[in-house]
Amino acid sequence: MRRISKLTRVAVGVASLALAATACGGTSGDNGDSGGSKEDLGLAIAYDIGGKGDQSFNDAAFAGLTKAKDEFGYKTADVEPTEGETDADKEQRLASLARQGYNPVIGVGFAYGPAMKAVAEKYPKTTFGIVDSVVEGDNVASLVFAEEQASYLAGVAAAKATKTKIVGFVGGVDIPLIHKFQAGYEQGVKATDPGVKVIPQYLTQTAEEGGFSSPDKGKAAAEGQIEKKADVIYQAAGLSGQGVIEAAAKAKVWAIGVDSDQYQQEALAAYKDYILTSALKDVGGAVYALAESVEDGKPLTGTQVFDLKVDGVGLSESNPKMAEIPGLTDAVNKAKEGIIDGSIQVKTD
């Protein structure tokens, strides 16, 4: 029977490992329908669009892999996507990892849904995981997050930080997953200060158009919002978000990061003074938790929900300038308490 549960807090701070280590990768491209190889290998992850180095979503997953590799002392693999790839390409990638003996095998991103469904049925002895999507299967763990809750907190921070009473939102692709970020953010802004205007913008209609992998698109969108007097911009755009942060720093306005604590990312160090905070998703913790469950012989399956109650999402506090903005910290803490106790119900659309 499919099990639905909430995980306890795992791997707090694991995202800081993202740029500190590397893992071995590479797979073969042939097909097969057996239950895996005789060699018992460890965790493997297949990246989403943008790949490793996005300073956000994928790097958070890599941090979880790094933690598992260091703790369990086994072989790992991390595999990049290819431009313009199909579901068949993703299916081949996942199948190759399972056939080599990696366990668990995790697809990082909702785009792996169709491929995950097909491959999991062919390799019943392998535990599979998918981030940001729900896939039915006796050997599949769906690792999903309450992004709207973290985004609500980001909205509270934005409403407290803005001086122009205009804030922006840049979404990578116009899809339901990113609608959750927008919905929570706008609700948090309006609940804190109804007089603040939110300017939302999506970079593309489909992922294939580069909405999650084009910093130039993110930069152009942010520049347009800044021209409209936005002085805080929250981005949920993967690699494209780096362009948003760059534009914000150049204009000396606030950017709000996403998924990882982007204030701490080395590649963004030149812009860190203008990264007010980041809406966090503990993707690394989820990846590690699944690997740990397999290592313990009790693989997680079903839908695993990461929300504020289990520190699966949150808001970073790395930038000391947050504390200098009157009322911001208190407002965020109060909102967090309300979400956890249920007095604040955050919208997802």
Side-chain angles (χ1 to χ4, degrees), residues 34-310:
S34 65
S37 73
K38 293 181 180 180
E39 186 179 5
D40 184 17
L41 304 178
L43 166 66
I45 60 176
Y47 291 117
D48 197 5
I49 295 169
K52 186 163 63 176
D54 66 354
Q55 312 301 317
S56 183
F57 183 67
N58 288 298
D59 280 359
F62 177 63
L65 178 142
T66 299
K67 181 176 174 65
K69 180 183 180 181
D70 290 346
E71 184 161 330
F72 305 132
Y74 55 31
K75 185 178 180 181
T76 59
D78 61 313
V79 189
E80 297 284 350
T82 58
E83 186 175 352
E85 68 182 22
T86 65
D87 286 340
D89 295 323
K90 292 183 176 67
E91 185 175 335
Q92 186 179 55
R93 182 179 303 126
L94 296 176
S96 179
L97 290 167
R99 185 169 52 256
Q100 290 177 67
Y102 288 101
N103 187 25
V105 174
I106 300 177
V108 183
F110 68 91
Y112 280 95
M116 184 71 65
K117 178 68 174 176
V119 174
E121 293 174 353
K122 295 178 181 178
Y123 295 88
K125 295 182 181 180
T126 300
T127 296
F128 291 86
I130 184 166
V131 179
D132 280 350
S133 185
V134 174
V135 172
E136 302 287 346
D138 292 339
N139 57 329
V140 180
S142 299
L143 311 175
V144 296
F145 298 81
E147 296 95 346
E148 70 281 0
Q149 294 181 354
S151 297
Y152 184 102
L153 300 182
V156 172
K160 286 294 184 181
T162 181
K163 296 180 179 179
T164 64
K165 299 292 185 179
I166 301 173
V167 301
F169 171 81
V170 175
V173 181
D174 192 357
I175 53 175
L177 174 64
I178 307 303
H179 296 169
K180 291 174 66 180
F181 289 87
Q182 180 186 349
Y185 179 65
E186 290 184 345
Q187 186 180 351
V189 169
K190 294 299 183 181
T192 305
D193 187 344
V196 175
K197 179 182 178 181
V198 181
I199 305 173
Q201 183 175 348
Y202 287 88
L203 301 180
T204 64
Q205 294 300 306
T206 67
E208 290 74 18
E209 296 172 279
F212 291 130
S213 56
S214 304
D216 58 329
K217 287 182 170 64
K219 183 177 181 180
E223 287 172 344
Q225 293 189 346
I226 292 167
E227 288 180 1
K228 296 176 182 178
K229 305 303 182 184
D231 62 350
V232 184
I233 303 175
Y234 174 39
Q235 54 86 12
L239 183 64
S240 300
Q242 294 188 31
V244 174
I245 292 171
E246 180 184 352
K250 182 178 179 180
K252 298 184 178 181
V253 301
W254 289 118
I256 295 179
V258 74
D259 294 342
S260 298
D261 184 354
Q262 297 193 300
Y263 179 86
Q264 300 281 14
Q265 298 296 337
E266 183 178 349
L268 298 173
Y271 315 123
K272 65 186 297 181
D273 287 346
Y274 297 97
I275 302 174
L276 176 63
T277 183
S278 296
L280 304 176
K281 283 171 59 173
D282 194 11
V283 176
V287 167
Y288 172 80
L290 183 57
E292 184 180 43
S293 74
V294 172
E295 186 73 6
D296 291 344
K298 299 177 181 179
L300 294 168
T301 59
T303 302
Q304 307 294 326
V305 181
F306 294 79
D307 60 10
L308 273 175
K309 289 183 179 179
V310 298

